[in-house]
Amino acid sequence: RAARSSGDAVRSYLPSMTQGFLRRFQLVTQFRHALDSGQVQVHYQPKVALPSREVVGVEALVRWVHPEFGRVDPDEFVPAVEATGLVDALTGFVMECALIRIRKWLDRGLRLSVAVNLSVRNLEDETFPDKVADALRRHDVPPRLLTFELTESGVMADPERCLPVLRRLHGLGVVLAVDDFGTGYSSLAYLRQLPVDEVKIDKSFVLGMGTDLGDLAVVRSIVELGHSLGLQVVAEGVEEDAAKEALVRMGCDIAQGYLISRPLSEDRFEAWLRARTVRARGRHDEMVLTL
Ligand code: C2E
Ligand code: MG
Ligand code: MG
Ligand code: MG
């Protein structure tokens, strides 16, 4: 209490730039404790196949409920954590949560994949593929059910260093996806050199495609480019039915966005799944249908 109110007093006369620094400093120094004490949670957002509406997997998105600041978004704390060695612990935590979920679903007859976001730091760590192989073995999960999302700007920053790690991850059989595609500066030709299976169209284009012909053109050309390179194409930021319909017409493979569901806590996601699970005709497995 006392420490907290004196902190408030200090903060009230610090210039705002320094306050931002102070907050970032606190986030970085408290992150380890936050991970160990359950303040950091993984939420799940479904991805559905188009046009079948079958739920094919989820993206794992991290959330930090901070005792003083309340909910802190990943856009704020992930870059701060990335600047330290703690990003290993973050990725390890999210990957463990993902593999536990995949295993639980498999035991119930559900084949759902989980996508984990990587930091460029993970791709610079030559021990990372071994950690992944070990985790897959421990949880007895088929590699195809684990996806890693990486941003093009991250990989392009230092391709020499990232490529060997990417190749080894790909060799394990996990799915690799380029996230936020279209926002970076990489040449489209470079995409061919990367050992990736999937592109995710950045949500800014998908959100704008209903009103902006330029965004619509970008989305259409990424779908075509992705398919011509043999990649699966995912659209994120699908908020409206009209966007989903346009994506179906373009032949986009997978949709993710608030139209289908917001990211949900583990409990709420399980309830969401249960409400939509049906036994598929002629199959022993269950499947989940939505929209
Ligand atoms: P991302 O990987 O591109 O994730 C998609 C973001 O878009 C998520 O924000 C998600 O909540 C949001 N989103 C999903 N559907 C919609 C929609 O229909 N409309 C709009 N407006 N937004 C939508 P979130 O959860 O705040 O995550 C932000 C970013 O933080 C992620 O972007 C990812 O780069 C990073 N991130 C999240 N979790 C992790 C993690 O575990 N590790 C690392 N390294 N980065 C993470
Ligand atoms: Mg956010
Ligand atoms: Mg992502
Ligand atoms: Mg994205």
Side-chain angles (χ1 to χ4, degrees), residues 43-48 53 55 57-59 61 63 235-240 244 255-273 276 288-291:
H43 284 206
Y44 299 93
Q45 186 179 35
K47 290 162 128 180
V48 301
R53 297 145 51 228
V55 179
V58 297
E59 178 171 7
L61 294 158
R63 301 284 178 260
E236 64 176 21
V238 181
E239 292 189 0
E240 288 169 5
K244 191 205 74 182
Q256 174 183 354
Y258 297 167
L259 176 71
I260 298 128
S261 169
R262 290 187 172 252
L264 300 171
S265 69
E266 190 175 298
D267 288 351
R268 293 188 60 202
F269 182 71
E270 287 299 333
W272 186 93
L273 265 186
R276 289 167 181 79
V288 183
L289 287 178
T290 189
L291 289 178

Side-chain angles (χ1 to χ4, degrees), residues 3-18:
R4 180 165 168 182
S5 55
S6 78
D8 289 344
V10 171
R11 231 169 268 125
S12 65
Y13 62 74
L14 281 174
S16 61
M17 216 169 87
T18 313

Side-chain angles (χ1 to χ4, degrees), residues 10-280:
V10 171
R11 231 169 268 125
S12 65
Y13 62 74
L14 281 174
S16 61
M17 216 169 87
T18 313
Q19 284 187 31
F21 177 80
L22 192 60
R23 176 165 159 137
R24 214 155 47 243
F25 179 77
Q26 282 176 286
L27 290 178
V28 168
T29 52
Q30 293 168 358
F31 186 70
R32 178 80 253 179
H33 171 71
L35 265 185
D36 296 337
S37 62
Q39 291 169 27
V40 180
Q41 296 171 2
V42 177
H43 284 206
Y44 299 93
Q45 186 179 35
K47 290 162 128 180
V48 301
L50 296 177
S52 75
R53 297 145 51 228
E54 183 176 0
V55 179
V56 290
V58 297
E59 178 171 7
L61 294 158
V62 76
R63 301 284 178 260
W64 183 352
V65 184
H66 189 281
E68 183 182 346
F69 303 134
R71 180 168 147 179
V72 187
D73 273 352
D75 287 329
E76 180 178 3
F77 75 85
V78 171
V81 167
E82 274 173 347
T84 72
L86 285 171
V87 75
D88 289 351
L90 170 65
T91 303
F93 172 77
V94 178
M95 182 167 64
E96 284 296 310
C97 294
L99 293 172
I100 290 168
R101 300 263 36 102
I102 297 172
R103 186 67 257 164
K104 287 203 166 134
W105 291 326
L106 281 175
D107 293 342
R108 273 164 37 198
L110 274 176
R111 269 186 86 80
L112 297 180
S113 73
V114 181
V116 172
N117 291 282
L118 293 187
S119 152
V120 64
R121 291 284 186 123
N122 301 124
L123 299 177
E124 292 169 354
D125 170 10
E126 64 273 14
T127 68
F128 184 64
D130 294 328
K131 294 175 188 160
V132 174
D134 173 64
L136 287 166
R137 256 193 310 274
R138 271 190 292 111
H139 293 279
D140 189 24
V141 163
R144 290 312 283 178
L145 294 182
L146 183 63
T147 297
F148 286 123
E149 299 187 0
L150 29 125
T151 58
E152 49 172 341
S153 52
V155 177
M156 299 313 161
D158 193 352
E160 303 297 301
R161 239 177 125 182
C162 294
L163 267 173
V165 173
L166 279 181
R167 291 204 186 96
R168 282 178 57 215
L169 288 173
H170 204 240
L172 294 176
V174 299
V175 177
L176 297 181
V178 183
D179 205 351
D180 302 343
F181 192 77
T183 56
Y185 297 98
S186 70
S187 74
L188 297 179
Y190 203 88
L191 192 59
R192 268 177 57 218
Q193 328 256 317
L194 292 178
V196 295
D197 312 279
E198 181 178 298
V199 277
K200 291 189 83 171
I201 309 170
D202 189 70
K203 61 176 173 285
S204 59
F205 305 114
V206 179
L207 290 171
M209 67 192 270
T211 49
D212 185 315
L213 288 175
D215 286 339
L216 185 69
V218 170
V219 172
R220 181 175 286 120
S221 53
I222 297 176
V223 173
E224 281 167 15
L225 168 85
H227 284 165
S228 67
L229 295 176
L231 304 174
Q232 167 159 277
V233 182
V234 181
E236 64 176 21
V238 181
E239 292 189 0
E240 288 169 5
D241 205 54
K244 191 205 74 182
E245 290 307 320
L247 290 162
V248 167
R249 284 194 298 276
M250 291 175 195
C252 181
D253 305 289
I254 291 172
Q256 174 183 354
Y258 297 167
L259 176 71
I260 298 128
S261 169
R262 290 187 172 252
L264 300 171
S265 69
E266 190 175 298
D267 288 351
R268 293 188 60 202
F269 182 71
E270 287 299 333
W272 186 93
L273 265 186
R274 267 195 302 278
R276 289 167 181 79
T277 304
V278 293
R279 194 166 286 281

